[in-house]
Amino acid sequence: MSALRTQIQADLKAAMLARQPLAVSTLRMAAAKLKDADIAARPKGIEAISDEDIVALLRGMVKTRRESEAQYRQGNRPDLADQEAAEIVILEAYLPRTLHGEALDAAIAQAIATSGATGPKDMGKVIAALKAAHGPALDMAAASAAVKAKLAAP
C-alpha cells in the first residue's frame, strides 16, 4: 500500500476517534474516490493506483471544491462556501507543496532555457520539461498560464 493511501486511512481512523465530522466525511469521500480509481484501473492490470495518481485525484477534488466554493459565494451561500473551503484545507494537507511566484518563474525560465523554446509554438516542450523536472510540485493551470505569458512576451 502506498504511503499516501496509508496516511489517508490512518487520518480517517484518527478523525473518527476524535469525532471530527468534517474530517471524517472529507476523508471518507477521498477514500471512496481512491477505491473507485483502483477498481477502474484493474482491467489494465493495476491493483492499486500510484501515489502520483492519488495526487492527481486529490488535486481534482480540490479543484472541484474551489469551483463549488466560488459558486456558493456568488449565490450568497456562505455556509456552504465555508464548508467547501474547510474540505479544501483537509485535502490540501495530502498534496505536495506547489511552486508559486518567484520559484515558479525560475522553474519556467530554466525549462525555457533547457528546451530551447523561442515562442508560443514551443509551449509543449516547456511544459514537458517542467513536468520532468518538477512533476507533482506543479499546479498545471498556473504553470500553463505563466508559460504562455512568458513565451508570448517579446
Side-chain angles (χ1 to χ4, degrees):
M1 194 182 277
S2 73
L4 195 50
R5 182 186 307 268
T6 304
Q7 185 64 45
I8 290 171
Q9 291 298 328
D11 289 350
L12 175 58
K13 288 177 186 174
M16 290 168 80
L17 290 172
R19 299 190 189 279
Q20 298 171 329
L22 182 64
V24 169
S25 67
T26 304
L27 293 174
R28 275 189 178 154
M29 199 175 344
K33 282 269 206 190
L34 288 175
K35 188 163 183 81
D36 288 346
D38 288 343
I39 290 169
R42 284 184 189 154
K44 299 174 193 161
I46 300 169
E47 193 62 32
I49 62 173
S50 67
D51 272 355
E52 192 172 291
D53 292 333
I54 293 172
V55 167
L57 184 120
L58 291 173
R59 281 212 172 125
M61 291 177 72
V62 168
K63 180 181 177 192
T64 302
R65 273 150 193 76
R66 284 193 201 287
E67 292 167 356
S68 296
E69 179 187 8
Q71 288 178 352
Y72 286 140
R73 293 217 188 276
Q74 199 173 32
N76 198 25
R77 292 296 308 265
D79 53 330
L80 295 175
D82 292 344
Q83 181 176 345
E84 294 291 333
E87 288 179 3
I88 290 169
V89 169
I90 292 168
L91 292 171
E92 282 183 334
Y94 300 99
L95 295 175
R97 294 284 152 222
T98 57
L99 294 175
H100 289 292
E102 292 178 11
L104 180 61
D105 290 342
I108 290 171
Q110 178 64 34
I112 289 172
T114 302
S115 65
T118 57
K121 63 181 172 38
D122 297 324
M123 188 168 166
K125 292 179 189 177
V126 177
I127 294 293
L130 273 173
K131 278 186 179 179
H134 301 285
L138 284 176
D139 174 1
M140 287 311 296
S144 178
V147 168
K148 190 174 190 176
K150 288 246 191 227
L151 292 176

